[in-house]
Amino acid sequence: MAERSVADLVVQRLLAWRVPRVFGYPGEAIAPLVEALERAGGDPAFIPARHEETASFMATGHAKFTGGIGVCLATQGPSAVQLLNGLYDAKLDSKPVVAIVGEDISGPLGGAHQEIGLSRLFADVCNQFVRYGRSPQDVPGLLDQAFRTAAATRSPTCVVLPRQLQEALVPDLHANAVGVISATPGEPLARVLPHEVDLEAAAQLLGSGQRTAILVGQGGRGAAAEIVELADRLGAGVATSLLGKPVLDERLPFHTGVLGEVGTPAAAELMGGCDTLLLVGTNDPWTDYLPMPGQARIVQIDIDGRRIGTRYPADVPLVGDAAETLRALLARVPDRPNPQWRATVENSVDRWRADAADRAAAPAEPINPQLVLQELSSRLPGVGAVAVDVGSVLYWYARHLSLPPGVNAQLCGTLGSMGCALPYAVAAKLAAPDQPVIALVGDGAMQLNGLAELITVSHHWQQWRDPRLVVLVLNNRDQNGMGGGRQPSNDPTRRRPDVPYAGWARLLGMHGVRVDRPELVGAAWDEALAADRPCVLEAVVDPAVSLAPPDPAFADLRGLYADGAAARKVREQTERTVAAQDVV
């Protein structure tokens, strides 16, 4: 019977789990596995990154954009350390990732080159599962456990494989062989629904509310239709967390936008005025923007019961899948819209949208960064992906980029680590090479690792059916990293070096556009999106434009009932509702 190496067994197990690609950085202790991946002929593919950190971000980005399990690999010592940032991103944003780490154990115990206690290193970030491979018979079951744990707990796991084990030759292993733990890859997770008594209590609470708000997080993905139907039935206004921004069509008239420091005044006003709040799949950290204690009664839906009540006390907890739980609620919640409340919310949204347009049109030196995102909003393709980095670009994305329903957007939401967007964009593009991808990056993140990862883009783009990967770089030369109202320093040592980002892209055989005049921003986007290859769009923007976070939820929408415009809108909507009822 033909023999094969343990590394070949690992590749076969990755195939069994339908892993399309593995992100990593080669090294001596992981070399046998890399060689086995190369022997596999690209199924799964090995995607070498320029750095282990970006490889782990790519794996997490793959999990975020596809809903599958991301896989990254690295060798021991400093290489393993560099994986931590992307793995913590996966842990804090609840995404399944499997890290495979090689180790050379041939040296003296405690004295090997680059030796680090890997179990201790990964004990926190992969606290659900960190295991060493000990024998060839262990490996298939060990990988199955790692993948199953990552999927079930929505978190990263780690498998450490000594190089000597990867190289070991073994006979074919059968599922019923002694000492072999085997399981079926891809076993579906259980269906999770709340208890009937809890659903009835939630329906009664929601049905008795007068001013209802719904806050949607990333756990609401796939439940957009149910959320909108419930919002219409209750006359509710809707806000989203930063991670929940792509869940709903942001053009809905009662969609107040993102809640929190990076969010909109309309969302803060919605929280300030509601007396009933439904939380759907959100673990949003900006609790200052939630209703004041005792102001509202709360129903919270989450697939993970450990998150219930961690950010805000829940009157009725519902542990379950968002879409199925909402469908169960729709069967119980009465049709009791409040046209006055809905009209007031919509009036608040109208005011915010007009204010956002005014902010984007305000003069700046040389370009207002809000204008750059506003101009993209009307040009954003109807399908594809957006990857967002950390920094002032996050504020402008949250407020000024309206996502159509077909566009998926992802960011490092809870960890908040710079340098995630370009690795995310690479993962998204490799997963869907026939769709456009846009990365929104600041110049700090671009200098951190983005310039290097453009080399990865240049290596792969000619294989893509749709070559468009546009990297927006907001170049504000602000060494402090966030911009947002500070006057730029005249001291050149305190300014970030001005790098020719668009020129670097052209040197790599891609397209590059640099714009420093506001009237040319729209044309620059048109050129970048029409390019026949990846493009870096470098916009020279003003670091003194204020971030202007909204006030927390103290602005009570109930006080707007007396506003003339709001009152007129309430009367008009009430008259339309009554007329429709008369027709029925």
Side-chain angles (χ1 to χ4, degrees):
M1 190 173 293
E3 290 187 328
R4 51 194 168 156
S5 71
V6 169
D8 293 319
L9 288 180
V10 173
V11 172
Q12 291 177 6
R13 215 63 200 151
L14 295 176
L15 280 173
W17 280 91
R18 300 181 181 87
V19 174
R21 61 195 60 87
V22 177
F23 305 94
Y25 194 90
E28 184 176 354
I30 200 68
L33 179 53
V34 173
E35 292 166 2
L37 286 166
E38 291 173 350
R39 287 195 297 273
D43 188 18
F46 175 58
I47 308 298
R50 304 309 104 196
H51 193 278
E52 295 90 349
E53 180 189 55
T54 52
S56 62
F57 274 134
M58 289 176 188
T60 300
H62 174 87
K64 289 185 175 184
F65 278 108
T66 69
I69 300 174
V71 179
C72 58
L73 61 80
T75 188
Q76 64 188 24
S79 183
V81 172
Q82 305 290 1
L83 290 178
L84 292 180
N85 216 22
L87 295 179
Y88 270 109
D89 178 20
K91 178 181 180 179
L92 297 184
D93 280 355
S94 301
K95 299 302 175 186
V97 172
V98 175
I100 303 175
V101 181
E103 185 177 51
D104 189 345
I105 57 174
S106 61
L109 184 63
H113 181 55
Q114 295 187 325
E115 182 178 344
I116 288 179
L118 295 178
S119 292
R120 294 193 302 275
L121 180 69
F122 291 100
D124 180 60
V125 68
C126 298
N127 64 309
Q128 298 291 336
F129 188 92
V130 183
R131 297 289 189 275
Y132 271 76
R134 300 297 183 188
S135 69
Q137 290 80 10
D138 291 341
V139 171
L142 190 65
L143 288 169
D144 286 344
Q145 287 179 286
F147 275 88
R148 185 163 292 103
T149 302
T153 63
R154 298 167 184 83
S155 68
T157 61
C158 178
V159 175
V160 181
L161 298 176
R163 178 186 173 111
Q164 292 76 5
L165 177 60
Q166 297 172 52
E167 294 174 326
L169 295 177
V170 295
D172 285 337
L173 301 177
H174 300 285
N176 59 355
V178 176
V180 175
I181 301 174
S182 183
T184 304
E187 288 179 347
L189 297 177
R191 182 186 184 200
V192 182
L193 272 173
H195 293 293
E196 291 289 329
V197 63
D198 295 324
L199 287 168
E200 292 293 343
Q204 184 175 358
L205 189 154
L206 293 171
S208 63
Q210 297 298 310
R211 300 180 306 278
T212 302
I214 302 175
L215 178 60
V216 180
Q218 64 171 336
R221 289 176 184 266
E226 290 82 2
I227 293 168
V228 172
E229 184 178 350
L230 184 61
D232 285 338
R233 186 171 296 187
L234 298 172
V238 174
T240 70
S241 70
L242 192 55
L243 289 171
K245 181 177 167 74
V247 173
L248 299 176
D249 185 349
E250 294 191 282
R251 297 167 295 185
L252 292 167
F254 52 87
H255 194 314
T256 62
V258 171
L259 180 70
E261 184 178 324
V262 303
T264 74
E269 290 173 354
L270 176 68
M271 294 297 119
C274 71
D275 65 5
T276 306
L277 175 60
L278 172 62
L279 302 172
V280 181
T282 177
N283 194 35
D284 194 85
W286 278 307
T287 55
D288 288 349
Y289 288 84
L290 292 175
M292 297 293 289
Q295 171 194 323
R297 295 186 300 166
I298 310 296
V299 175
Q300 183 175 0
I301 300 172
D302 205 293
I303 191 74
D304 189 342
R306 294 172 297 181
R307 294 207 175 102
I308 299 289
T310 58
R311 301 296 188 186
Y312 198 94
D315 295 281
V316 181
L318 298 177
V319 178
D321 171 79
E324 291 210 52
T325 301
L326 287 167
R327 283 194 287 270
L329 281 176
L330 284 167
R332 295 167 170 82
V333 172
D335 191 3
R336 295 184 56 189
N338 182 340
Q340 289 186 323
W341 172 244
R342 172 61 74 84
T344 304
V345 170
E346 292 182 3
N347 182 260
S348 177
V349 172
D350 291 343
R351 287 198 317 276
W352 155 244
R353 290 176 179 169
D355 181 49
D358 291 342
R359 293 187 189 194
E365 183 57 43
I367 296 176
N368 186 333
Q370 298 169 103
L371 175 66
V372 181
L373 274 297
Q374 191 95 334
E375 290 288 345
L376 171 61
S377 196
S378 60
R379 294 171 169 81
L380 198 61
V383 296
V386 176
V388 190
D389 221 295
V390 173
S392 59
V393 68
L394 193 59
Y395 285 72
W396 315 138
Y397 156 78
R399 298 171 185 166
H400 295 280
L401 188 63
S402 180
L403 298 172
V407 174
N408 190 359
Q410 296 290 348
L411 49 96
C412 184
T414 311
L415 181 64
S417 178
M418 284 178 60
C420 62
L422 198 46
Y424 277 13
V426 170
K429 192 66 181 179
L430 290 171
D434 58 340
Q435 296 183 1
V437 175
I438 298 172
L440 308 178
V441 186
D443 53 353
M446 199 64 185
Q447 290 187 24
L448 185 68
N449 58 31
L451 291 172
E453 287 308 326
L454 282 180
I455 299 173
T456 305
V457 175
S458 71
H459 181 67
H460 290 280
W461 75 264
Q462 295 189 37
Q463 305 167 29
W464 297 336
R465 191 178 311 165
D466 183 334
R468 290 178 295 172
L469 191 160
V470 179
V471 182
L472 168 68
V473 182
L474 292 182
N475 183 5
N476 66 10
R477 296 87 61 209
D478 178 39
Q479 186 66 45
N480 292 313
M482 286 295 286
R486 288 185 297 270
Q487 291 298 322
S489 172
N490 293 323
D491 182 356
T493 65
R494 299 180 61 187
R495 301 289 301 278
R496 181 173 288 117
D498 198 2
V499 174
Y501 304 99
W504 173 236
R506 290 192 290 269
L507 283 174
L508 292 173
M510 297 180 285
H511 194 54
V513 180
R514 187 177 190 271
V515 60
D516 57 7
R517 292 167 54 187
E519 67 272 17
L520 297 179
V521 171
W525 272 119
D526 291 336
E527 181 178 345
L529 290 167
D532 63 351
R533 61 196 61 208
C535 176
V536 170
L537 172 54
E538 176 187 350
V540 184
V541 297
D542 190 345
V545 175
S546 175
L547 299 178
D551 291 329
F554 303 131
D556 193 333
L557 273 181
R558 287 171 294 183
L560 297 176
Y561 282 140
D563 177 78
R568 285 194 299 274
K569 191 165 185 178
V570 168
R571 286 196 300 272
E572 292 170 0
Q573 183 161 335
T574 302
E575 290 169 359
R576 289 195 299 270
T577 301
V578 172
Q581 291 173 346
D582 289 343
V583 170
V584 174

